[in-house]
Amino acid sequence: MRKIPHWIDGAEIAGSGDRRLPVYDPATGERQAEIVAATDAEVRAAVRSAAAAQPGWRAASLSRRAEVMFRFRDLVDANRKEIATLLSGEHGKTVADAAGEVARGLENVEFAAGAPHLLKGGYSEQAATGVDVYSIRQPLGVVAGITPFNFPAMVPMWMFCTALAAGNTFVLKPSEKDPSVSLLLADLLRRAGLPDGAFNVVQGDRSAVEALIADPEVAALSFVGSTPVARSIYTAGTAAGKRVQALGGAKNHMVVLPDADVGAAADAAVSAGFGSAGERCMAVSVVVAVGAVADPLVEAISERMARIRVGPASDPDAEMGPLITGEHRDRVRAYLDRPGGQVVVDGRALPAADGPGFFLGPSLVDHVTTDSGYYLDEIFGPVLSVVRVDTYAEAVALVNSNEYGNGTAIFTRDGGAARRFQYDVVCGMVGINVPIPVPVAYYSFGGWKSSLFGDLHMYGPEGLAFYTRTKVVTSRWPDPASSEVDLGFPKVR
């Protein structure tokens, strides 16, 4: 059985622990590899390696850091097919979907390559007589990232590119379900010229996370995953004196007004609801149909769902692959037996749903009630719910009262209604006729309410702020002849 190693101090390191974690092929259900879960000592070795490398990497010029990011960008681009194929084999998403993930990750590498500009501070000459004041951004030190299974290439790049460009060193704990891409990225960083120890990977599960939280040399933690785990990591990490950004779950609503183009809205709902088998934190999981648009919209969505080709990534015509594990597939499938909605399209009828892989066809549930599990839970699978309301005001109230505030969208031809929606809605990311409003790399990603714990979003300007701290310097070069003791409060006028 293939064993997936750690990456410590610039090289692959075989695990020495006695706990084994399976890595499956979601298309066949077969165990294809295993992780030897990191021991506390191995996590400590990774952090120690990062701590030893940090002073030298911090001292590297901004141009040098940018050069490494540029080289890494070229290497990722040159190897994107290999990355996508490796990713697809462990996650189950189609190779085309995986390639799209890599492309979005590359945007963050390109943003981080602008470090010489992004890390500029401010300067005020003559703030007081003969006194200048200026601010500088400095790295935190050793930082760690804990990333989810659904984007094993993109989400780590959201974190480590900005962190490294700012002069930090990094320890990554990828998902144990699809860990191999992290090692390929580590090797590409090495080839790009990143010093040994500046980037490390520890494979494991909760115990590795707890070891990172407990380690006093880890200054900050970034996390993406479910809300209960995000809340737990934020609580434990901040209690340990660390800076923490923990992105949690979502229940993303797509509001469709009566004036919307029904065909375009149905295309968007199907694309955003069932891409990557619905295993996206930005997936549309609730369509809010306003007024008379509901019946034609449900019909249009149903027609499009019938044409979705579900299959393994090895099938070049497949548009949607399996779910990540059999346990998760069974959990998602169980929702379709619950009350609280009318199942219009049943994904359990897909022949492959009874096969050896972790497949489940796309499902559509209409007339969903807001007290049901369909609406309240983050199902994280190919189940799209339709909630019917009579007015725009009801739709906005529904979005705003939901526990989560990650992403939302509105489909309409009315510019005034769209502008009002972006003003009214209580949510971190908003799409106007855009179903998955993931910001471009020079903005920042993150939600509100129970979708984010911490005060800074991920990547972009806020990501840079998270991985740095500001130092303000007040400077005076007086004439020694005029120096004197003055016990009064410093004057600026």
Side-chain angles (χ1 to χ4, degrees), residues 364-442:
L364 179 65
V365 186
D366 194 8
H367 298 284
V368 165
T369 59
T370 57
D371 61 351
S372 68
Y374 292 116
Y375 182 75
L376 295 174
D377 299 345
E378 185 184 25
I379 298 175
F380 218 64
V383 177
L384 182 62
S385 299
V386 178
V387 175
R388 298 179 179 227
V389 298
D390 293 326
T391 66
Y392 166 87
E394 288 180 76
V396 172
L398 194 67
V399 176
N400 290 351
S401 64
N402 194 267
E403 174 189 1
Y404 301 106
N406 206 43
T408 189
I410 188 169
F411 276 71
T412 179
R413 290 187 176 98
D414 186 335
R419 189 178 187 280
R420 180 181 172 189
F421 182 77
Q422 73 179 43
Y423 181 86
D424 290 342
V425 75
V426 182
C427 197
M429 294 171 283
V430 180
I432 297 174
N433 298 317
V434 174
I436 304 180
V438 176
V440 292
Y442 41 89

Side-chain angles (χ1 to χ4, degrees), residues 80 84 94-107 151 154:
R80 66 167 73 197
T94 66
V95 175
D97 192 11
E101 172 184 343
V102 175
R104 291 307 299 265
L106 275 172
E107 293 179 12
F151 290 105
M154 183 182 73

Side-chain angles (χ1 to χ4, degrees), residues 259-274:
D259 72 314
D261 182 298
V262 171
D267 288 340
V270 171
S271 300
F274 303 117

Side-chain angles (χ1 to χ4, degrees), residues 245 247 428 444-448 452 455-459 462-463 466:
Q245 58 176 186
L247 278 64
S444 296
F445 178 99
W448 292 1
L452 174 71
D455 60 347
L456 289 171
H457 292 145
M458 198 159 285
Y459 72 71
E462 291 189 51
F466 178 79

Side-chain angles (χ1 to χ4, degrees), residues 30 66 136 198 210 250 302 400 437 459 472 493:
E30 296 176 355
I136 52 181
E210 290 172 346
S302 301
N400 290 351
Y459 72 71
V472 179
R493 291 184 174 84

Side-chain angles (χ1 to χ4, degrees), residues 123-148:
Y123 195 102
S124 296
E125 185 182 47
Q126 202 70 357
T129 303
V131 175
D132 302 327
V133 179
Y134 53 95
S135 64
I136 52 181
R137 285 193 175 275
Q138 295 185 334
L140 304 178
V142 178
V143 298
I146 303 157
T147 56

Side-chain angles (χ1 to χ4, degrees), residues 49-287:
S49 175
Q54 203 275 325
W57 179 240
R58 177 192 172 184
S61 69
L62 296 179
S63 296
R64 169 63 179 152
R65 294 184 218 160
E67 179 185 30
V68 171
M69 287 295 111
F70 275 118
R71 289 180 176 174
F72 178 63
R73 187 261 174 219
D74 288 345
L75 287 166
V76 171
D77 185 47
N79 291 275
R80 66 167 73 197
K81 184 176 181 180
E82 180 184 356
I83 297 170
T85 302
L86 179 62
L87 188 164
S88 175
E90 290 184 350
H91 176 276
K93 66 176 67 176
T94 66
V95 175
D97 192 11
E101 172 184 343
V102 175
R104 291 307 299 265
L106 275 172
E107 293 179 12
N108 293 91
V109 187
E110 293 162 356
F111 176 82
H117 169 72
L118 300 170
L119 291 169
K120 289 189 297 186
Y123 195 102
S124 296
E125 185 182 47
Q126 202 70 357
T129 303
V131 175
D132 302 327
V133 179
Y134 53 95
S135 64
I136 52 181
R137 285 193 175 275
Q138 295 185 334
L140 304 178
V142 178
V143 298
I146 303 157
T147 56
F149 73 82
N150 57 334
F151 290 105
M154 183 182 73
V155 172
M157 285 193 277
W158 282 3
M159 297 177 184
F160 70 71
C161 294
T162 309
L164 292 172
N168 302 282
T169 51
F170 202 92
V171 179
L172 173 64
K173 204 299 285 183
S175 170
E176 64 274 20
K177 295 179 176 65
D178 45 8
S180 294
V181 168
S182 62
L183 299 172
L184 179 51
L185 294 176
D187 187 55
L188 295 181
L189 283 167
R190 179 192 62 79
R191 289 166 57 187
L194 188 71
D196 291 347
F199 182 80
N200 302 273
V201 179
V202 289
Q203 310 286 6
D205 53 10
R206 180 175 178 173
S207 65
V209 174
E210 290 172 346
L212 288 170
I213 293 173
D215 197 299
E217 288 194 277
V218 175
L221 289 163
S222 297
F223 170 82
V224 175
S226 70
T227 285
V229 179
R231 182 182 287 112
S232 173
I233 287 175
Y234 181 78
T235 300
T238 53
K242 304 182 191 308
R243 184 179 290 188
V244 182
Q245 58 176 186
L247 278 64
K251 197 70 178 178
N252 303 315
H253 295 60
M254 176 178 145
V255 176
V256 183
L257 297 187
D259 72 314
D261 182 298
V262 171
D267 288 340
V270 171
S271 300
F274 303 117
S276 199
E279 293 176 323
R280 293 172 175 166
C281 67
M282 288 296 287
V284 167
S285 53
V286 179
V287 172

